[in-house]
Amino acid sequence: RLVNMLEGKNLDDGYRAIHLYPSENNMKYQYEIQIWFKEDFNYNSWMHKYTYKQEDIEISRILFKKYIEGEINSEDDFVKNLKNIKSDNNNLSWI
């Protein structure tokens, strides 16, 4: 089975990848292969480390927007922006 997430998910947090689920039957997946492309690798890595299943999806959306706009270029940038977003009560009012 192939799951294409190159255009995002229904609740898009910025994660981009292709997932492959090789299996002998459709009821049991023994392992998963994730294909991350070069331009998505850093954001995917940082998101999984700091926000995925840990923070509200809206925080990841803000971070992804900053990443694609070139405001986040390193893990340090990601962490600083995450801290700023979390500490800014104005941004959190919609969460």
Side-chain angles (χ1 to χ4, degrees):
R1 180 174 155 226
L2 180 136
V3 178
N4 183 344
M5 291 186 243
L6 293 179
E7 299 297 322
K9 302 179 272 188
N10 287 340
L11 296 173
D12 191 12
D13 55 8
Y15 176 78
R16 302 289 186 263
I18 292 176
H19 289 208
L20 301 172
Y21 300 95
S23 178
E24 292 180 9
N25 69 56
N26 289 336
M27 301 305 290
K28 183 177 179 183
Y29 298 107
Q30 296 177 342
Y31 54 93
E32 169 187 81
I33 299 168
Q34 294 185 19
I35 301 170
W36 293 6
F37 293 88
K38 182 179 178 180
E39 60 271 13
D40 304 314
F41 182 82
N42 287 335
Y43 180 80
N44 287 352
S45 297
W46 303 329
M47 187 192 73
H48 273 83
K49 186 173 181 180
Y50 296 105
T51 62
Y52 182 67
K53 294 186 180 181
Q54 301 170 56
E55 302 291 347
D56 189 281
I57 191 171
E58 293 300 329
I59 291 174
S60 292
R61 288 179 181 190
I62 292 169
L63 290 166
F64 182 63
K65 183 175 187 252
K66 290 176 175 281
Y67 178 74
I68 61 173
E69 291 175 350
E71 294 179 43
I72 296 176
N73 297 297
S74 68
E75 187 170 356
D76 286 341
D77 289 346
F78 188 95
V79 172
K80 286 176 190 173
N81 277 275
L82 174 60
K83 286 179 182 177
N84 289 340
I85 292 165
K86 288 174 67 173
S87 68
D88 185 350
N89 288 333
N90 292 332
N91 282 341
L92 295 178
S93 65
W94 39 258
I95 294 178

